[in-house]
mmCIF file of all heavy atoms in Angstrom:
data_model
loop_
_atom_site.group_PDB
_atom_site.id
_atom_site.type_symbol
_atom_site.label_atom_id
_atom_site.label_comp_id
_atom_site.label_asym_id
_atom_site.label_seq_id
_atom_site.Cartn_x
_atom_site.Cartn_y
_atom_site.Cartn_z
ATOM 1 N N HIS A 1 0.818 -1.208 0.000
ATOM 2 C CA HIS A 1 0.001 0.007 0.004
ATOM 3 C C HIS A 1 0.848 1.280 -0.002
ATOM 4 O O HIS A 1 0.392 2.329 -0.425
ATOM 5 C CB HIS A 1 -0.913 0.001 1.235
ATOM 6 C CG HIS A 1 -1.953 -1.054 1.211
ATOM 7 N ND1 HIS A 1 -3.067 -1.013 0.423
ATOM 8 C CD2 HIS A 1 -2.039 -2.237 1.898
ATOM 9 C CE1 HIS A 1 -3.793 -2.071 0.633
ATOM 10 N NE2 HIS A 1 -3.202 -2.848 1.517
ATOM 11 N N PHE A 2 2.099 1.177 0.485
ATOM 12 C CA PHE A 2 2.953 2.349 0.605
ATOM 13 C C PHE A 2 3.769 2.615 -0.652
ATOM 14 O O PHE A 2 4.546 3.553 -0.693
ATOM 15 C CB PHE A 2 3.897 2.173 1.794
ATOM 16 C CG PHE A 2 3.207 2.126 3.117
ATOM 17 C CD1 PHE A 2 2.804 0.901 3.662
ATOM 18 C CD2 PHE A 2 2.904 3.282 3.807
ATOM 19 C CE1 PHE A 2 2.137 0.856 4.879
ATOM 20 C CE2 PHE A 2 2.250 3.238 5.025
ATOM 21 C CZ PHE A 2 1.876 2.027 5.546
ATOM 22 N N MET A 3 3.615 1.781 -1.663
ATOM 23 C CA MET A 3 4.397 1.961 -2.886
ATOM 24 C C MET A 3 3.667 2.920 -3.835
ATOM 25 O O MET A 3 2.493 2.808 -4.067
ATOM 26 C CB MET A 3 4.589 0.625 -3.609
ATOM 27 C CG MET A 3 5.463 -0.348 -2.837
ATOM 28 S SD MET A 3 5.663 -1.878 -3.723
ATOM 29 C CE MET A 3 6.661 -2.808 -2.579
ATOM 30 N N VAL A 4 4.461 3.880 -4.396
ATOM 31 C CA VAL A 4 3.912 4.834 -5.348
ATOM 32 C C VAL A 4 3.997 4.233 -6.744
ATOM 33 O O VAL A 4 5.007 3.587 -7.079
ATOM 34 C CB VAL A 4 4.698 6.152 -5.280
ATOM 35 C CG1 VAL A 4 4.189 7.181 -6.267
ATOM 36 C CG2 VAL A 4 4.644 6.725 -3.865
ATOM 37 N N PRO A 5 2.987 4.372 -7.578
ATOM 38 C CA PRO A 5 3.074 3.844 -8.939
ATOM 39 C C PRO A 5 4.256 4.422 -9.719
ATOM 40 O O PRO A 5 4.427 5.661 -9.749
ATOM 41 C CB PRO A 5 1.743 4.248 -9.563
ATOM 42 C CG PRO A 5 0.833 4.435 -8.417
ATOM 43 C CD PRO A 5 1.678 4.950 -7.308
ATOM 44 N N PRO A 6 5.103 3.596 -10.312
ATOM 45 C CA PRO A 6 6.300 4.128 -10.976
ATOM 46 C C PRO A 6 6.024 4.792 -12.328
ATOM 47 O O PRO A 6 6.841 5.534 -12.818
ATOM 48 C CB PRO A 6 7.160 2.898 -11.145
ATOM 49 C CG PRO A 6 6.206 1.771 -11.229
ATOM 50 C CD PRO A 6 5.074 2.158 -10.352
ATOM 51 N N GLU A 7 4.899 4.505 -12.955
ATOM 52 C CA GLU A 7 4.650 5.043 -14.279
ATOM 53 C C GLU A 7 4.279 6.515 -14.263
ATOM 54 O O GLU A 7 4.445 7.241 -15.254
ATOM 55 C CB GLU A 7 3.526 4.234 -14.930
ATOM 56 C CG GLU A 7 3.963 2.804 -15.247
ATOM 57 C CD GLU A 7 2.857 2.038 -15.952
ATOM 58 O OE1 GLU A 7 1.779 2.633 -16.172
ATOM 59 O OE2 GLU A 7 3.080 0.870 -16.267
ATOM 60 N N GLU A 8 3.711 7.041 -13.171
ATOM 61 C CA GLU A 8 3.337 8.449 -13.084
ATOM 62 C C GLU A 8 4.596 9.298 -12.799
ATOM 63 O O GLU A 8 5.383 8.987 -11.912
ATOM 64 C CB GLU A 8 2.317 8.649 -11.972
ATOM 65 C CG GLU A 8 0.989 7.931 -12.263
ATOM 66 C CD GLU A 8 -0.038 8.201 -11.181
ATOM 67 O OE1 GLU A 8 0.314 8.922 -10.240
ATOM 68 O OE2 GLU A 8 -1.147 7.659 -11.283
ATOM 69 N N ASN A 9 4.735 10.373 -13.555
ATOM 70 C CA ASN A 9 5.910 11.261 -13.441
ATOM 71 C C ASN A 9 5.643 12.288 -12.320
ATOM 72 O O ASN A 9 5.029 13.336 -12.552
ATOM 73 C CB ASN A 9 6.168 11.974 -14.762
ATOM 74 C CG ASN A 9 6.569 10.987 -15.838
ATOM 75 O OD1 ASN A 9 7.336 10.065 -15.579
ATOM 76 N ND2 ASN A 9 6.071 11.174 -17.052
ATOM 77 N N LEU A 10 6.092 11.941 -11.124
ATOM 78 C CA LEU A 10 5.922 12.829 -9.983
ATOM 79 C C LEU A 10 7.256 13.504 -9.674
ATOM 80 O O LEU A 10 8.339 12.858 -9.741
ATOM 81 C CB LEU A 10 5.451 12.034 -8.749
ATOM 82 C CG LEU A 10 4.069 11.397 -8.891
ATOM 83 C CD1 LEU A 10 3.796 10.508 -7.675
ATOM 84 C CD2 LEU A 10 2.967 12.424 -9.020
ATOM 85 N N GLN A 11 7.160 14.754 -9.334
ATOM 86 C CA GLN A 11 8.397 15.497 -9.074
ATOM 87 C C GLN A 11 9.025 15.118 -7.721
ATOM 88 O O GLN A 11 10.217 14.968 -7.585
ATOM 89 C CB GLN A 11 8.105 17.002 -9.104
ATOM 90 C CG GLN A 11 9.377 17.846 -9.103
ATOM 91 C CD GLN A 11 9.073 19.334 -9.300
ATOM 92 O OE1 GLN A 11 7.892 19.717 -9.391
ATOM 93 N NE2 GLN A 11 10.114 20.162 -9.389
ATOM 94 N N TYR A 12 8.169 14.987 -6.711
ATOM 95 C CA TYR A 12 8.635 14.632 -5.385
ATOM 96 C C TYR A 12 7.801 13.423 -4.895
ATOM 97 O O TYR A 12 6.792 13.584 -4.209
ATOM 98 C CB TYR A 12 8.485 15.805 -4.390
ATOM 99 C CG TYR A 12 9.277 17.023 -4.792
ATOM 100 C CD1 TYR A 12 8.653 18.112 -5.394
ATOM 101 C CD2 TYR A 12 10.640 17.059 -4.598
ATOM 102 C CE1 TYR A 12 9.374 19.239 -5.759
ATOM 103 C CE2 TYR A 12 11.390 18.169 -4.978
ATOM 104 C CZ TYR A 12 10.740 19.255 -5.567
ATOM 105 O OH TYR A 12 11.478 20.349 -5.940
ATOM 106 N N PRO A 13 8.179 12.205 -5.296
ATOM 107 C CA PRO A 13 7.381 11.019 -4.937
ATOM 108 C C PRO A 13 7.388 10.716 -3.444
ATOM 109 O O PRO A 13 6.476 10.075 -2.930
ATOM 110 C CB PRO A 13 8.018 9.899 -5.729
ATOM 111 C CG PRO A 13 9.402 10.362 -6.017
ATOM 112 C CD PRO A 13 9.349 11.883 -6.128
ATOM 113 N N GLU A 14 8.400 11.182 -2.715
ATOM 114 C CA GLU A 14 8.458 10.854 -1.291
ATOM 115 C C GLU A 14 7.345 11.565 -0.499
ATOM 116 O O GLU A 14 6.944 11.118 0.553
ATOM 117 C CB GLU A 14 9.813 11.225 -0.686
ATOM 118 C CG GLU A 14 10.211 12.677 -0.799
ATOM 119 C CD GLU A 14 10.931 12.967 -2.106
ATOM 120 O OE1 GLU A 14 10.938 12.059 -2.989
ATOM 121 O OE2 GLU A 14 11.461 14.071 -2.283
ATOM 122 N N TYR A 15 6.842 12.707 -1.057
ATOM 123 C CA TYR A 15 5.734 13.386 -0.389
ATOM 124 C C TYR A 15 4.412 12.625 -0.522
ATOM 125 O O TYR A 15 3.468 12.890 0.211
ATOM 126 C CB TYR A 15 5.570 14.810 -0.933
ATOM 127 C CG TYR A 15 6.747 15.718 -0.664
ATOM 128 C CD1 TYR A 15 7.158 16.665 -1.590
ATOM 129 C CD2 TYR A 15 7.445 15.612 0.529
ATOM 130 C CE1 TYR A 15 8.236 17.500 -1.337
ATOM 131 C CE2 TYR A 15 8.531 16.436 0.810
ATOM 132 C CZ TYR A 15 8.934 17.384 -0.140
ATOM 133 O OH TYR A 15 10.009 18.183 0.094
ATOM 134 N N HIS A 16 4.333 11.781 -1.528
ATOM 135 C CA HIS A 16 3.069 11.080 -1.831
ATOM 136 C C HIS A 16 3.005 9.694 -1.180
ATOM 137 O O HIS A 16 2.019 9.004 -1.377
ATOM 138 C CB HIS A 16 2.905 10.911 -3.324
ATOM 139 C CG HIS A 16 2.812 12.211 -4.067
ATOM 140 N ND1 HIS A 16 1.630 12.892 -4.247
ATOM 141 C CD2 HIS A 16 3.774 12.993 -4.672
ATOM 142 C CE1 HIS A 16 1.857 13.994 -4.931
ATOM 143 N NE2 HIS A 16 3.148 14.082 -5.192
ATOM 144 N N GLU A 17 4.035 9.281 -0.476
ATOM 145 C CA GLU A 17 4.032 7.916 0.078
ATOM 146 C C GLU A 17 2.945 7.732 1.124
ATOM 147 O O GLU A 17 2.230 6.734 1.125
ATOM 148 C CB GLU A 17 5.398 7.595 0.653
ATOM 149 C CG GLU A 17 6.456 7.408 -0.394
ATOM 150 C CD GLU A 17 7.799 7.061 0.201
ATOM 151 O OE1 GLU A 17 7.904 7.073 1.457
ATOM 152 O OE2 GLU A 17 8.747 6.787 -0.553
ATOM 153 N N GLY A 18 2.821 8.693 2.078
ATOM 154 C CA GLY A 18 1.795 8.559 3.106
ATOM 155 C C GLY A 18 0.382 8.603 2.545
ATOM 156 O O GLY A 18 -0.473 7.789 2.908
ATOM 157 N N ALA A 19 0.130 9.557 1.622
ATOM 158 C CA ALA A 19 -1.212 9.654 1.029
ATOM 159 C C ALA A 19 -1.517 8.451 0.143
ATOM 160 O O ALA A 19 -2.675 8.005 0.055
ATOM 161 C CB ALA A 19 -1.314 10.933 0.223
ATOM 162 N N SER A 20 -0.522 7.907 -0.543
ATOM 163 C CA SER A 20 -0.763 6.751 -1.414
ATOM 164 C C SER A 20 -1.212 5.538 -0.618
ATOM 165 O O SER A 20 -2.079 4.767 -1.053
ATOM 166 C CB SER A 20 0.506 6.422 -2.209
ATOM 167 O OG SER A 20 1.533 6.013 -1.316
ATOM 168 N N ALA A 21 -0.664 5.353 0.592
ATOM 169 C CA ALA A 21 -1.074 4.199 1.418
ATOM 170 C C ALA A 21 -2.560 4.343 1.826
ATOM 171 O O ALA A 21 -3.349 3.394 1.741
ATOM 172 C CB ALA A 21 -0.217 4.087 2.657
ATOM 173 N N ILE A 22 -2.929 5.584 2.256
ATOM 174 C CA ILE A 22 -4.328 5.799 2.687
ATOM 175 C C ILE A 22 -5.271 5.633 1.498
ATOM 176 O O ILE A 22 -6.334 5.042 1.598
ATOM 177 C CB ILE A 22 -4.455 7.198 3.334
ATOM 178 C CG1 ILE A 22 -3.651 7.224 4.634
ATOM 179 C CG2 ILE A 22 -5.913 7.530 3.614
ATOM 180 C CD1 ILE A 22 -3.466 8.598 5.215
ATOM 181 N N MET A 23 -4.911 6.191 0.322
ATOM 182 C CA MET A 23 -5.758 6.069 -0.870
ATOM 183 C C MET A 23 -5.869 4.614 -1.335
ATOM 184 O O MET A 23 -6.919 4.181 -1.765
ATOM 185 C CB MET A 23 -5.193 6.942 -1.983
ATOM 186 C CG MET A 23 -5.308 8.449 -1.724
ATOM 187 S SD MET A 23 -7.011 9.002 -1.477
ATOM 188 C CE MET A 23 -7.678 8.676 -3.095
ATOM 189 N N SER A 24 -4.771 3.880 -1.230
ATOM 190 C CA SER A 24 -4.820 2.446 -1.635
ATOM 191 C C SER A 24 -5.761 1.665 -0.718
ATOM 192 O O SER A 24 -6.588 0.869 -1.174
ATOM 193 C CB SER A 24 -3.432 1.855 -1.593
ATOM 194 O OG SER A 24 -3.475 0.490 -1.913
ATOM 195 N N ILE A 25 -5.643 1.922 0.597
ATOM 196 C CA ILE A 25 -6.557 1.231 1.526
ATOM 197 C C ILE A 25 -7.990 1.654 1.260
ATOM 198 O O ILE A 25 -8.938 0.828 1.285
ATOM 199 C CB ILE A 25 -6.157 1.548 2.997
ATOM 200 C CG1 ILE A 25 -4.769 0.965 3.289
ATOM 201 C CG2 ILE A 25 -7.171 0.985 3.970
ATOM 202 C CD1 ILE A 25 -4.146 1.504 4.554
ATOM 203 N N TYR A 26 -8.194 2.964 1.009
ATOM 204 C CA TYR A 26 -9.543 3.461 0.771
ATOM 205 C C TYR A 26 -10.168 2.808 -0.479
ATOM 206 O O TYR A 26 -11.318 2.391 -0.446
ATOM 207 C CB TYR A 26 -9.491 4.976 0.611
ATOM 208 C CG TYR A 26 -10.807 5.583 0.180
ATOM 209 C CD1 TYR A 26 -11.898 5.590 1.036
ATOM 210 C CD2 TYR A 26 -10.926 6.141 -1.101
ATOM 211 C CE1 TYR A 26 -13.115 6.143 0.635
ATOM 212 C CE2 TYR A 26 -12.139 6.693 -1.502
ATOM 213 C CZ TYR A 26 -13.226 6.702 -0.639
ATOM 214 O OH TYR A 26 -14.428 7.232 -1.050
ATOM 215 N N MET A 27 -9.397 2.728 -1.576
ATOM 216 C CA MET A 27 -9.936 2.107 -2.811
ATOM 217 C C MET A 27 -10.240 0.624 -2.623
ATOM 218 O O MET A 27 -11.272 0.123 -3.069
ATOM 219 C CB MET A 27 -8.937 2.297 -3.944
ATOM 220 C CG MET A 27 -8.675 3.766 -4.325
ATOM 221 S SD MET A 27 -10.170 4.618 -4.863
ATOM 222 C CE MET A 27 -10.504 3.752 -6.379
ATOM 223 N N CYS A 28 -9.367 -0.056 -1.927
ATOM 224 C CA CYS A 28 -9.601 -1.493 -1.711
ATOM 225 C C CYS A 28 -10.826 -1.731 -0.804
ATOM 226 O O CYS A 28 -11.623 -2.626 -1.041
ATOM 227 C CB CYS A 28 -8.375 -2.135 -1.088
ATOM 228 S SG CYS A 28 -6.951 -2.220 -2.171
ATOM 229 N N MET A 29 -10.971 -0.869 0.216
ATOM 230 C CA MET A 29 -12.117 -1.044 1.121
ATOM 231 C C MET A 29 -13.420 -0.652 0.427
ATOM 232 O O MET A 29 -14.485 -1.205 0.725
ATOM 233 C CB MET A 29 -11.925 -0.212 2.389
ATOM 234 C CG MET A 29 -10.786 -0.688 3.290
ATOM 235 S SD MET A 29 -11.007 -2.364 3.919
ATOM 236 C CE MET A 29 -12.333 -2.097 5.058
ATOM 237 N N ARG A 30 -13.368 0.326 -0.472
ATOM 238 C CA ARG A 30 -14.571 0.686 -1.233
ATOM 239 C C ARG A 30 -15.036 -0.469 -2.106
ATOM 240 O O ARG A 30 -16.232 -0.647 -2.338
ATOM 241 C CB ARG A 30 -14.265 1.919 -2.098
ATOM 242 C CG ARG A 30 -14.136 3.228 -1.321
ATOM 243 C CD ARG A 30 -15.489 3.792 -0.936
ATOM 244 N NE ARG A 30 -16.275 4.208 -2.066
ATOM 245 C CZ ARG A 30 -17.505 4.698 -1.998
ATOM 246 N NH1 ARG A 30 -18.093 4.819 -0.818
ATOM 247 N NH2 ARG A 30 -18.159 5.064 -3.083
ATOM 248 N N GLN A 31 -14.115 -1.269 -2.586
ATOM 249 C CA GLN A 31 -14.494 -2.441 -3.375
ATOM 250 C C GLN A 31 -14.937 -3.607 -2.529
ATOM 251 O O GLN A 31 -15.760 -4.418 -2.952
ATOM 252 C CB GLN A 31 -13.293 -2.868 -4.255
ATOM 253 C CG GLN A 31 -12.938 -1.863 -5.326
ATOM 254 C CD GLN A 31 -11.700 -2.283 -6.081
ATOM 255 O OE1 GLN A 31 -11.169 -3.362 -5.854
ATOM 256 N NE2 GLN A 31 -11.256 -1.409 -6.978
ATOM 257 N N PHE A 32 -14.363 -3.702 -1.310
ATOM 258 C CA PHE A 32 -14.659 -4.873 -0.494
ATOM 259 C C PHE A 32 -15.908 -4.709 0.396
ATOM 260 O O PHE A 32 -16.666 -5.664 0.556
ATOM 261 C CB PHE A 32 -13.448 -5.167 0.395
ATOM 262 C CG PHE A 32 -13.718 -6.082 1.552
ATOM 263 C CD1 PHE A 32 -14.107 -7.396 1.332
ATOM 264 C CD2 PHE A 32 -13.620 -5.635 2.858
ATOM 265 C CE1 PHE A 32 -14.372 -8.238 2.400
ATOM 266 C CE2 PHE A 32 -13.899 -6.478 3.922
ATOM 267 C CZ PHE A 32 -14.260 -7.780 3.705
ATOM 268 N N LEU A 33 -16.146 -3.547 0.965
ATOM 269 C CA LEU A 33 -17.209 -3.373 1.942
ATOM 270 C C LEU A 33 -18.619 -3.577 1.394
ATOM 271 O O LEU A 33 -19.514 -3.970 2.141
ATOM 272 C CB LEU A 33 -17.101 -1.991 2.622
ATOM 273 C CG LEU A 33 -15.968 -1.861 3.634
ATOM 274 C CD1 LEU A 33 -15.850 -0.438 4.138
ATOM 275 C CD2 LEU A 33 -16.179 -2.809 4.800
ATOM 276 N N PRO A 34 -18.947 -3.298 0.121
ATOM 277 C CA PRO A 34 -20.294 -3.658 -0.369
ATOM 278 C C PRO A 34 -20.613 -5.135 -0.225
ATOM 279 O O PRO A 34 -21.768 -5.510 -0.094
ATOM 280 C CB PRO A 34 -20.262 -3.240 -1.833
ATOM 281 C CG PRO A 34 -19.277 -2.110 -1.865
ATOM 282 C CD PRO A 34 -18.241 -2.433 -0.868
ATOM 283 N N VAL A 35 -19.599 -5.979 -0.235
ATOM 284 C CA VAL A 35 -19.830 -7.406 0.020
ATOM 285 C C VAL A 35 -20.316 -7.616 1.444
ATOM 286 O O VAL A 35 -21.121 -8.520 1.720
ATOM 287 C CB VAL A 35 -18.554 -8.209 -0.265
ATOM 288 C CG1 VAL A 35 -18.758 -9.691 0.015
ATOM 289 C CG2 VAL A 35 -18.092 -8.008 -1.687
ATOM 290 N N CYS A 36 -19.849 -6.763 2.378
ATOM 291 C CA CYS A 36 -20.252 -6.830 3.801
ATOM 292 C C CYS A 36 -21.490 -6.010 4.077
ATOM 293 O O CYS A 36 -21.820 -5.774 5.263
ATOM 294 C CB CYS A 36 -19.110 -6.364 4.681
ATOM 295 S SG CYS A 36 -17.575 -7.300 4.487
ATOM 296 N N LEU A 37 -22.182 -5.514 3.036
ATOM 297 C CA LEU A 37 -23.418 -4.720 3.154
ATOM 298 C C LEU A 37 -23.171 -3.362 3.815
ATOM 299 O O LEU A 37 -24.006 -2.815 4.549
ATOM 300 C CB LEU A 37 -24.495 -5.495 3.943
ATOM 301 C CG LEU A 37 -24.873 -6.868 3.392
ATOM 302 C CD1 LEU A 37 -25.868 -7.538 4.307
ATOM 303 C CD2 LEU A 37 -25.452 -6.760 2.009
ATOM 304 N N VAL A 38 -21.993 -2.756 3.525
ATOM 305 C CA VAL A 38 -21.670 -1.391 3.949
ATOM 306 C C VAL A 38 -21.377 -0.592 2.674
ATOM 307 O O VAL A 38 -20.374 -0.872 1.999
ATOM 308 C CB VAL A 38 -20.445 -1.377 4.897
ATOM 309 C CG1 VAL A 38 -20.058 0.061 5.259
ATOM 310 C CG2 VAL A 38 -20.762 -2.138 6.155
ATOM 311 N N TYR A 39 -22.218 0.354 2.348
ATOM 312 C CA TYR A 39 -22.149 1.055 1.057
ATOM 313 C C TYR A 39 -21.704 2.518 1.178
ATOM 314 O O TYR A 39 -21.532 3.177 0.145
ATOM 315 C CB TYR A 39 -23.526 1.017 0.377
ATOM 316 C CG TYR A 39 -24.037 -0.378 0.140
ATOM 317 C CD1 TYR A 39 -24.943 -0.964 0.997
ATOM 318 C CD2 TYR A 39 -23.568 -1.139 -0.934
ATOM 319 C CE1 TYR A 39 -25.419 -2.251 0.794
ATOM 320 C CE2 TYR A 39 -24.034 -2.424 -1.169
ATOM 321 C CZ TYR A 39 -24.952 -2.978 -0.269
ATOM 322 O OH TYR A 39 -25.377 -4.248 -0.504
ATOM 323 N N ASP A 40 -21.543 3.031 2.374
ATOM 324 C CA ASP A 40 -21.244 4.463 2.534
ATOM 325 C C ASP A 40 -19.890 4.672 3.238
ATOM 326 O O ASP A 40 -19.754 5.506 4.125
ATOM 327 C CB ASP A 40 -22.353 5.168 3.297
ATOM 328 C CG ASP A 40 -22.638 4.494 4.653
ATOM 329 O OD1 ASP A 40 -22.061 3.410 4.889
ATOM 330 O OD2 ASP A 40 -23.407 5.047 5.425
ATOM 331 N N PHE A 41 -18.910 3.898 2.828
ATOM 332 C CA PHE A 41 -17.560 4.060 3.394
ATOM 333 C C PHE A 41 -16.906 5.304 2.783
ATOM 334 O O PHE A 41 -16.921 5.487 1.569
ATOM 335 C CB PHE A 41 -16.704 2.821 3.102
ATOM 336 C CG PHE A 41 -15.385 2.817 3.778
ATOM 337 C CD1 PHE A 41 -15.279 2.522 5.121
ATOM 338 C CD2 PHE A 41 -14.214 3.111 3.073
ATOM 339 C CE1 PHE A 41 -14.031 2.509 5.756
ATOM 340 C CE2 PHE A 41 -13.000 3.102 3.697
ATOM 341 C CZ PHE A 41 -12.921 2.798 5.038
ATOM 342 N N SER A 42 -16.319 6.146 3.639
ATOM 343 C CA SER A 42 -15.713 7.416 3.199
ATOM 344 C C SER A 42 -14.278 7.472 3.651
ATOM 345 O O SER A 42 -13.802 6.685 4.459
ATOM 346 C CB SER A 42 -16.505 8.610 3.741
ATOM 347 O OG SER A 42 -16.467 8.607 5.159
#
């Protein structure tokens, strides 16, 4: 989750490491939680 995608040309990738982990968890949970009948995960 903490890995930044290498294909995107970012100027300072080290600044995006913390946000990338949270966004990765958020995207995965958005896909998984509807299976658990939770549809309003934010």
Side-chain angles (χ1 to χ4, degrees):
H1 292 286
F2 295 92
M3 293 181 182
V4 179
E7 292 182 0
E8 295 183 1
N9 295 319
L10 297 173
Q11 191 174 2
Y12 299 103
E14 59 272 9
Y15 295 144
H16 298 273
E17 287 181 356
S20 64
I22 294 168
M23 291 301 295
S24 177
I25 295 165
Y26 173 69
M27 296 300 293
C28 292
M29 292 299 289
R30 287 282 294 177
Q31 293 176 4
F32 164 64
L33 285 174
V35 179
C36 302
L37 303 176
V38 176
Y39 301 99
D40 55 351
F41 187 76
S42 62

